[in-house]
Amino acid sequence: MQKYVYFFGGGKAEGKGDMKDTLGGKGAGLAEMTNAGLPVPPGFTISTEVCRIFYENKGKLGSDIQKQVDEALARLESVTEQKLGSTERPLLVSVRSGAKFSMPGMMDTILNLGLNDTTVKALAKRTGNERFAWDSYRRFIQMYGNVVLQIEKREFDEIFDHIKEKAGAKLDTEIPVLSLQELVKQYKALVKERTKTDFPEDPRQQFQGAINAVFGSWRNPRAIHYRRMNKISEELGTAVNVQTMVFGNMGNTSGTGVGFTRNPSTGEREFYGEFLINAQGEDVVAGIRTPTPIRELDRVMPECYRQLREITDRLERHYRDMQDFEFTIQENRLYMLQTRNGKRTGKAAVKIAADMVKEGLITPEEAVMRVEPLQLDQLLHPILDPKAKTKELAQGLPASPGAVSGRIVFSAEDAVAQAKQGRVVLVRKETVPDDIHGMEVAVGILTSRGGMTSHAAVVARGMGKCCVVGAEAIKIDERNKLLMAGNKQLREGDWITLEGSSGKIFEGQVATVEPDPASGDFAAFMGMADQIRRLGIRANADIPRDAEVARKFGAEGIGLCRTEHMFFAEDRLPHVQKMILANTEPERREHLNKLLPFQRADFEGLFRAMDGLPVTIRLLDPPLHEFLPKREELMVEIAVLRAKNGAPSQIAEKEKLLQRVETLHEFNPMLGHRGCRLGITYPEISEMQCRAIFEAACKLQKEGRTVKPEIMIPLVGLPKEFEEQKAIVDRVAEEVFTQTGAKVEYTVGTMIELPRAVVVADKIAESAEFFSFGTNDLTQTTFGFSRDDAGKIIVDYMAKGILKADPFQELDRDGVGVLVRMGIEKGRSTRSNLKIGICGEHGGDPSSIEFCDEVGLDYVSCSPYRVPIARLAAAQCVVARKSAAERGRTV
Amino acid sequence: MQKYVYFFGGGKAEGKGDMKDTLGGKGAGLAEMTNAGLPVPPGFTISTEVCRIFYENKGKLGSDIQKQVDEALARLESVTEQKLGSTERPLLVSVRSGAKFSMPGMMDTILNLGLNDTTVKALAKRTGNERFAWDSYRRFIQMYGNVVLQIEKREFDEIFDHIKEKAGAKLDTEIPVLSLQELVKQYKALVKERTKTDFPEDPRQQFQGAINAVFGSWRNPRAIHYRRMNKISEELGTAVNVQTMVFGNMGNTSGTGVGFTRNPSTGEREFYGEFLINAQGEDVVAGIRTPTPIRELDRVMPECYRQLREITDRLERHYRDMQDFEFTIQENRLYMLQTRNGKRTGKAAVKIAADMVKEGLITPEEAVMRVEPLQLDQLLHPILDPKAKTKELAQGLPASPGAVSGRIVFSAEDAVAQAKQGRVVLVRKETVPDDIHGMEVAVGILTSRGGMTSHAAVVARGMGKCCVVGAEAIKIDERNKLLMAGNKQLREGDWITLEGSSGKIFEGQVATVEPDPASGDFAAFMGMADQIRRLGIRANADIPRDAEVARKFGAEGIGLCRTEHMFFAEDRLPHVQKMILANTEPERREHLNKLLPFQRADFEGLFRAMDGLPVTIRLLDPPLHEFLPKREELMVEIAVLRAKNGAPSQIAEKEKLLQRVETLHEFNPMLGHRGCRLGITYPEISEMQCRAIFEAACKLQKEGRTVKPEIMIPLVGLPKEFEEQKAIVDRVAEEVFTQTGAKVEYTVGTMIELPRAVVVADKIAESAEFFSFGTNDLTQTTFGFSRDDAGKIIVDYMAKGILKADPFQELDRDGVGVLVRMGIEKGRSTRSNLKIGICGEHGGDPSSIEFCDEVGLDYVSCSPYRVPIARLAAAQCVVARKSAAERGRTV
């Protein structure tokens, strides 16, 4: 018969610490501690498998399981020499949830189970502490009433407060026995009134009800929500832990507390936590009494303190990780109720991992697994001062981390004008490419539309600038320069604060603290990751400033330089526009010639910043109409001019411009005249860009720098497109080499960002020297999702369980991933040493990085501030794969 | 040594009729006729291989080939007992091109080669016909001067006309010998002046020059253009045919002519052609003298006529196809100069094929190969009266065939209003879905933008309505209701004529003729195709009228009913708009309930029309904003209202509408909130549609009809999307069955139109009962080409040789085709009997149909007027595959 119930107690447990799948985290910890000989109150764990059966059988356990539970209970009675409902030695137990992954506060707990009008007297008699007995009883009714019988906690609280007041008690501990007895009476009356039945006096019935309630709490709304947020599978289920009660509320020689073996906030190696004398665990959490720092325990109960230090030290060494523990002291006797690996801040995680390696406690491989890559973000950006008071306005999507305060502006122009006077936050419905200059001067960006990969989000991450997008609860009236959130209205110039890592938006100015990314611990930790990882890490950077940041953060090259960002700069845009509006090739060339010096200077800066490292430069990609005024705005302008009898010459001029804009207008620009299609229609644009690249490279080389340009042709779908553009690159390179007398090694490769490119990757690789997967566009075309439009659909799909994750954030392995694999396989079938990278947003996402490592990419490229995250994620997947392989061998 | 030169003459030829690859069409025909013992002037063919060598060696033949040419020439001299340049018996030859596929008039020909000042006299003496000799000489200089020496024909013509006038001659044959001699003198002077050298008197030099010129003409611009238009490979090359001259210009017992063994226009079995007495071949073509119908030859030279009839009958039986032949009679002796399978109209092709089967000349398999599928179009639509005079205005893309005249209107509203008074042609820059009602009443549609798969093109083809799109030379001013073409200006109400099969646009009203698609020959012919084909043929039809047409044309079901077309109808659009603007589900349901009776009636009509056949119904697909006013138009309206101080309430109302439109606005609607994404966000829409389908189906079934609904979920990319929508279909079906007491068999399947759907096709097939490849969208996403925008890019790519064909017209086998194969393979790996079809535009394209047959699809679905074309194409690929397999066995 399958085993469903695992006993622990009397120095031995049927379970083990590595049985989290079956016993949940808490159950596994209790078993492990019991086996280690620690003072753990005996009990048993009903496995997570039972939770699944519970739901399959619509709330019934079945006779097999019931039998095992009954046997375990009998054994517990025997070990403790107590009996449920006994009028002499009544057994009291706690019934708690405990899933594989900690879900703090999400599921239900019942303490003191077994008390009724009879056993409470036995308890009073046995302990000689009537007050304690009745206090425990009223707590039990309250908890059971709330959790099992679904009566609102508020209703119990009202009765409690009333009686406490009547008794004139300041503290809960001051409520006299008689009042507690009155409380029990009134609680029971409440139960009777609400449920139309008496409170269950039969401890067996209490026991059954509690187990069902705990299993039932697995699917309460807040637990479901928590799992969805934390990507915990619905299938896991919770275990139920039944454990003999020990009491911290038996007077001043009793107490209860929680603690950490190291400081979970800073990572310092210090004993950290707090406790309460004469209290049960819930009091510490509830915050009614202020707990005492744990060092004080040394003064109050030195022996218990010494024992606790000794035990927790052992636990940390045993688990080889910082522990988060719970304990209870019952009449000077210490009991351990829980231990688990403690949650910690990014800063603490890095310090603890680095320290534990120094202490010889863990290996570097283990150390790199101890930090969630995304936690590093906290070390790289300013954060809100945890002590600051905040007034939250709304919540958007956490598009780019950091925390900033600034005065609101509603347009790029206003941003530029007012940034001179001080920090501004640019607030827009959505941003467009010509907002770039405003985004550059703003300290943060807030949009009410768009998803995690909208224009604002992508550009802000690239700039390492705090950004919150898609805050749909906010209404933005750009015309009247108003921001509405609920009934609040903010105007231009008002202060606002953004927290990019949570997506929260606050009213006014909130203090921030600047962390120190260059600390010794951080550097030591990242060094370990670098030793382990196989994947190269590059950055997406378009300007020298970003390149320098990237290099500082450890980038080993630039994986994507988007040359169009250079076209949007204020001093260039007029030339770009004239070039686009030109009617003939010579005219276009004339304006391109004016752009050439700018582009050359851009590349010089980049090459200088990345001296010795490769720089991948993508030729012009976006559709040309992005550089022109918006069609609908022109239409409105003309209509208004007409309505107001404007000057005919002015109207005619605008109409001419509109005509050209109309010619370039596209219904689906994402699928239009962009990428290499531009370079094929206007070879002179590619020529100018290549000339700028090679002239810059030759100049730098003459200065003694090492320049490694890699020229990348975007949006290739047909092998001939690539060949045609490569011919231009090679021709211009030769021309520049001849003119300058220098010669620079370079390669020409392509983005693989269309399904067709994947399908013909073997043909493309005949002439392409490298591939870079543009997984943003590849995700768009594979799914048929426009990044700019699909945000709401994706949110809806995730809520409905149709999508597990946003495919623009986490590479969709089952769909896009299959195409990526196919592209790699086909590409390398032609050119076995083909260098392959990825430069979409996924390059900075840990789960996607794992995939990139698995499929054998050479490098990932991400925004500069993501580089450390990518370095760590790349190391983690090496370790994970190694462990999996080792597990495979031992099985 | 490889054989490059093939001799024919004296009753025997080294080549054969099936050696078209090597000898070209003409050379193979000459060899075959020679071997058959027909009177063919002897000569030799220089193979197409030499043409390739000619270009590789930059115009040199090399000594091997030269040697073979010299030997062949010597043999010709020996057989004819004549000698090039001989002053006694000079050999005169023609030098002609001849590629594998006929390219009429594209390449060069030289007649009478071998004449010079000496041999002309010998010819005169030998023939006793001085006028003939000098006439031949002047023709030679003229042709050689033009073809080999590149002097413009016009310059020779001017001299000729001048001398003809001076001689007072009315006909060319009336020019006296002295004038011909003067002509030769002046021609030579012209050559000297233009080339700075004397005309080559040496026949060997003439000979070499002519061969080079003919090979050179393979790559003249008009030949290259012709090949591109007709998809003839550049690699084939031309052969050169050198043949002893025979002369039709030796007086009244000589002549020359061309003919067909059957009428190439009607297919009637009648001897058809024309001839000229005392003329060379070029005169027939040149149109200077009006040729005589060939039956007249019976009167003039009965013996030659009898012999010609006998020979051409033999040729037709030999080749088992209608022959197009050329002959020359030299002094009462008949010579055959060419025979080949004759080009014919669609009507003739069908009649000849059907007749030849009846005559026992060919098998049905052969018959179906004798008609180009696209030729059938001529039998299905009205065509311009070939006798009508036309004034061409411009040329656009031939989007949908037919020929119509109508009065110009510039908006859908005007179309509806004026169609009551008579036929209108709707002229728009581009059409949008809410132009549908205008398109329905117009007889034809003309747009200045968009490609072959633009909205106008797709809808018009669906309606079987004449349509020309992308006529970029035309400027349309919708505001002022003007159409500009060059310096012409047409206004509303002016007549215009469109020829949809050529894309031509004519001024005024041009007469058309109505063909008869239900003729006996057509039915007989299509019956043969149906016997042979494996693929099922369905039609895309949205309304009963289209379904009836489709059925008449032989559709075996409806493969795609686009339900949104029902939403655009005038009486429904207001309900649709209210539904979209509703804020709550109950409100939406209220408006959907108003749409329900309309949709139900639509489906009743469709099911009735298709009684007994399957009807595939696609649930709502387009983004909702397509049903609302255009964003930019609203913006303009509001701005104008503001500028003119309009009523605030009116402005507020418009602004509210704009706000909703803004919410629905998408940057790339093709990749936005459409397809099953709509049904997932608004399940009530899918519910209403399913209810309409099943209520209609149950009603019809109760009337005794057989209804086979197949419900198709669009734009699925994730298996769960499909499952969620299928659950709605099944639930509503059960509800309706319970309510009505009827039960209808139905299936639920999906479109495969996204690369992700292909990748997970095996998962989708777990619940989907059929697939239909939406290759329009699949092509869009695979290429990253928006149908509406990529027209110009595709044209440019085809001109540059980057694309061989428009992938929206001809399924891209190397890219999209690979994904189609993958989808089929994956789908059938899960469900081996999965029914799979295609319903994109490709379903009506013969090349794509061949692919569909090859990869094992069950059916193709195309617009109703394409159904016969698809039936034929489906038969042809079966025959072609069988022949290929047989060839494979015999090799």
Side-chain angles (χ1 to χ4, degrees), chain A residues 431-450:
Chain A
T431 63
V432 292
D434 47 345
D435 288 333
I436 289 269
H437 55 295
M439 298 172 77
E440 272 178 348
V441 298
V443 296
I445 296 135
L446 167 62
T447 73
S448 60
R449 292 192 49 176

Side-chain angles (χ1 to χ4, degrees), chain A residues 442-507:
Chain A
V443 296
I445 296 135
L446 167 62
T447 73
S448 60
R449 292 192 49 176
M452 290 294 285
T453 49
S454 62
H455 177 266
V458 172
V459 172
R461 278 199 293 278
M463 293 177 170
K465 193 153 280 184
C466 175
C467 178
V468 174
V469 299
E472 309 238 353
I474 278 185
K475 295 277 161 272
I476 293 170
D477 181 347
E478 287 169 358
R479 170 195 297 274
N480 298 309
K481 304 193 175 179
L482 285 175
L483 179 162
M484 277 83 66
N487 53 7
K488 296 244 168 114
Q489 206 176 59
L490 275 70
R491 300 170 175 285
E492 189 182 49
D494 287 349
W495 281 90
I496 195 169
T497 299
L498 308 180
E499 186 175 55
S501 43
S502 68
K504 283 185 179 155
I505 305 151
F506 303 97
E507 208 181 331

Side-chain angles (χ1 to χ4, degrees), chain A residues 479 631-632 667-671 677 680 721 754 756 782-786 789 797 800 812 822, chain B residues 479 631-632 642 667-671 677 680 721 754 756 782-784 786 789 797 800 812 822:
Chain A
R479 170 195 297 274
R631 177 171 161 264
E632 57 269 35
F667 294 100
N668 298 285
M670 191 54 66
L671 307 176
R677 298 162 194 174
I680 287 171
E721 289 176 320
L754 293 173
R756 199 180 191 287
T782 303
F783 270 91
F785 271 162
S786 158
D789 305 312
Y797 272 24
K800 289 187 168 134
D812 161 48
M822 192 194 285
Chain B
R479 170 195 298 274
R631 177 171 162 265
E632 57 270 35
R642 273 227 176 76
F667 294 100
N668 299 285
M670 190 54 67
L671 307 176
R677 298 162 194 174
I680 287 170
E721 289 176 320
L754 293 172
R756 198 180 192 287
T782 303
F783 270 91
S786 158
D789 304 313
Y797 272 24
K800 288 186 170 137
D812 160 49
M822 192 193 283

Side-chain angles (χ1 to χ4, degrees), chain B residues 33 37-39 261 304-318 323 334-336 339:
Chain B
M33 287 196 291
L38 302 185
T261 55
C304 284
Y305 181 74
R306 191 203 53 73
Q307 200 187 346
L308 183 63
R309 286 296 305 258
E310 192 263 327
I311 287 173
T312 54
D313 274 2
R314 259 177 75 192
L315 284 170
E316 187 182 276
R317 282 196 309 278
H318 179 75
Q323 294 299 294
L334 175 69
Y335 291 96
M336 296 305 294
T339 192

Side-chain angles (χ1 to χ4, degrees), chain B residues 23-291:
Chain B
L23 304 179
K26 186 192 291 277
L30 291 169
E32 192 77 357
M33 287 196 291
T34 303
N35 284 328
L38 302 185
V40 174
F44 54 87
T45 303
I46 308 174
S47 79
T48 56
E49 175 66 20
V50 177
C51 185
R52 284 185 289 272
I53 294 169
F54 177 85
Y55 283 105
E56 270 166 29
N57 292 357
K58 314 212 155 134
K60 297 259 172 341
L61 296 188
S63 59
D64 278 4
I65 297 168
Q66 193 59 56
K67 196 165 152 247
Q68 291 189 28
V69 171
D70 292 344
E71 282 168 5
L73 183 58
R75 186 165 165 196
L76 185 59
E77 288 175 331
S78 150
V79 165
T80 56
E81 297 179 347
Q82 297 176 344
K83 205 168 165 55
L84 210 57
S86 158
T87 52
E88 299 289 318
R89 297 177 57 81
L91 174 66
L92 302 189
V93 295
S94 63
V95 180
R96 297 175 205 238
S97 63
K100 179 173 182 183
F101 302 106
S102 167
M103 295 167 56
M106 293 301 134
M107 291 183 296
D108 294 329
T109 287
I110 292 148
L111 302 180
N112 307 337
L113 187 140
L115 284 174
N116 59 21
D117 290 350
T118 316
T119 54
V120 69
K121 287 173 193 151
L123 183 63
K125 194 171 151 203
R126 266 201 68 214
T127 58
N129 190 336
E130 197 175 13
R131 198 198 164 280
F132 150 70
W134 284 93
D135 186 50
S136 301
Y137 192 20
R138 69 93 188 165
R139 286 171 189 266
F140 169 58
I141 299 173
Q142 188 176 342
M143 253 187 242
Y144 195 93
N146 174 235
V147 169
V148 182
L149 306 176
Q150 313 267 332
I151 298 163
E152 275 186 56
K153 195 164 170 297
R154 185 184 48 77
E155 299 205 65
F156 290 104
D157 288 348
E158 279 167 11
I159 297 172
F160 183 83
D161 290 344
H162 181 69
I163 286 191
K164 184 172 168 187
E165 198 189 318
K166 224 171 65 179
K170 267 182 123 176
L171 297 175
D172 290 1
T173 46
E174 291 168 1
I175 302 173
V177 174
L178 275 177
S179 296
L180 290 172
Q181 288 171 337
E182 174 59 24
L183 197 54
V184 165
K185 213 170 119 191
Q186 291 196 18
Y187 275 1
K188 287 186 158 187
L190 173 66
V191 167
K192 173 95 189 201
E193 194 187 322
R194 290 279 170 273
T195 65
K196 312 295 171 206
T197 28
D198 288 322
F199 183 83
E201 289 277 317
D202 175 6
R204 286 271 167 177
Q205 193 188 335
Q206 294 172 358
F207 182 62
Q208 213 58 55
I211 291 177
N212 289 347
V214 171
F215 279 137
S217 69
W218 174 253
R219 289 206 186 156
N220 72 38
R222 67 176 189 278
I224 290 174
H225 182 75
Y226 182 91
R227 285 193 293 274
R228 192 169 292 155
M229 289 297 97
N230 291 275
K231 296 186 187 161
I232 297 174
S233 163
E234 286 298 313
E235 298 304 304
L236 291 175
T238 183
V240 174
N241 296 291
V242 177
Q243 195 173 16
T244 313
M245 283 299 302
V246 286
F247 297 97
N249 56 343
M250 284 183 73
N252 288 335
T253 57
S254 301
T256 187
V258 298
F260 294 85
T261 55
R262 304 192 186 213
N263 186 321
S265 172
T266 64
E268 291 298 326
R269 195 173 181 186
E270 61 187 358
F271 199 55
Y272 183 96
E274 42 198 24
F275 72 103
L276 277 173
I277 292 292
N278 194 15
Q280 276 200 334
E282 70 202 88
D283 299 329
V284 180
V285 183
I288 303 164
R289 288 165 58 192
T290 305

Side-chain angles (χ1 to χ4, degrees), chain A residues 429-430 432 449 475 479 630-633 635-636 638-640 642-644 655 659 662-674 676-678 680-683 715 717-718 720-721 724 754-757 759-760 780-790 792-793 796-797 800-804 812-816 818-819 822 826, chain B residues 429-430 432 449 475 479 630-633 635-636 638-640 642-644 655 659 662-674 676-678 680-683 715 717-718 720-721 724 754-757 759-760 780-790 792-793 796-797 800-804 812-816 818-819 822 826:
Chain A
K429 276 187 197 160
E430 67 223 349
V432 292
R449 292 192 49 176
K475 295 277 161 272
R479 170 195 297 274
K630 278 193 184 169
R631 177 171 161 264
E632 57 269 35
E633 283 171 9
M635 289 169 78
V636 167
I638 292 170
V640 169
R642 273 228 176 78
K644 292 188 165 171
E655 281 198 322
Q659 208 167 9
E662 287 276 13
T663 317
L664 291 172
H665 173 66
E666 294 181 318
F667 294 100
N668 298 285
M670 191 54 66
L671 307 176
H673 196 210
R674 50 172 291 239
C676 68
R677 298 162 194 174
L678 293 173
I680 287 171
T681 311
Y682 308 114
L715 210 73
L718 294 148
K720 283 198 183 165
E721 289 176 320
E724 187 147 311
L754 293 173
R756 199 180 191 287
V759 170
V760 299
Q780 295 198 87
T781 44
T782 303
F783 270 91
F785 271 162
S786 158
R787 269 204 293 182
D788 294 314
D789 305 312
K792 270 191 278 186
I793 302 173
D796 187 29
Y797 272 24
K800 289 187 168 134
I802 295 176
L803 270 176
K804 280 195 194 133
D812 161 48
R813 297 189 186 204
D814 297 340
V816 178
V818 172
L819 293 179
M822 192 194 285
K826 287 195 171 224
Chain B
K429 277 187 195 159
E430 67 224 350
V432 292
R449 292 191 50 175
K475 295 276 161 276
R479 170 195 298 274
K630 279 193 185 169
R631 177 171 162 265
E632 57 270 35
E633 283 171 8
M635 289 168 77
V636 166
I638 292 169
V640 169
R642 273 227 176 76
K644 292 188 165 173
E655 281 197 323
Q659 208 167 8
E662 287 276 12
T663 317
L664 291 172
H665 173 66
E666 295 181 317
F667 294 100
N668 299 285
M670 190 54 67
L671 307 176
H673 196 211
R674 50 173 289 241
C676 67
R677 298 162 194 174
L678 292 173
I680 287 170
T681 311
Y682 308 114
L715 211 72
L718 295 148
K720 283 199 182 163
E721 289 176 320
E724 187 147 313
L754 293 172
R756 198 180 192 287
V759 170
V760 299
Q780 294 198 87
T781 44
T782 303
F783 270 91
F785 271 162
S786 158
R787 268 204 295 180
D788 294 314
D789 304 313
K792 270 190 278 185
I793 302 172
D796 187 29
Y797 272 24
K800 288 186 170 137
I802 296 176
L803 270 175
K804 279 195 194 132
D812 160 49
R813 297 188 185 203
D814 296 341
V816 177
V818 172
L819 293 179
M822 192 193 283
K826 287 195 170 223

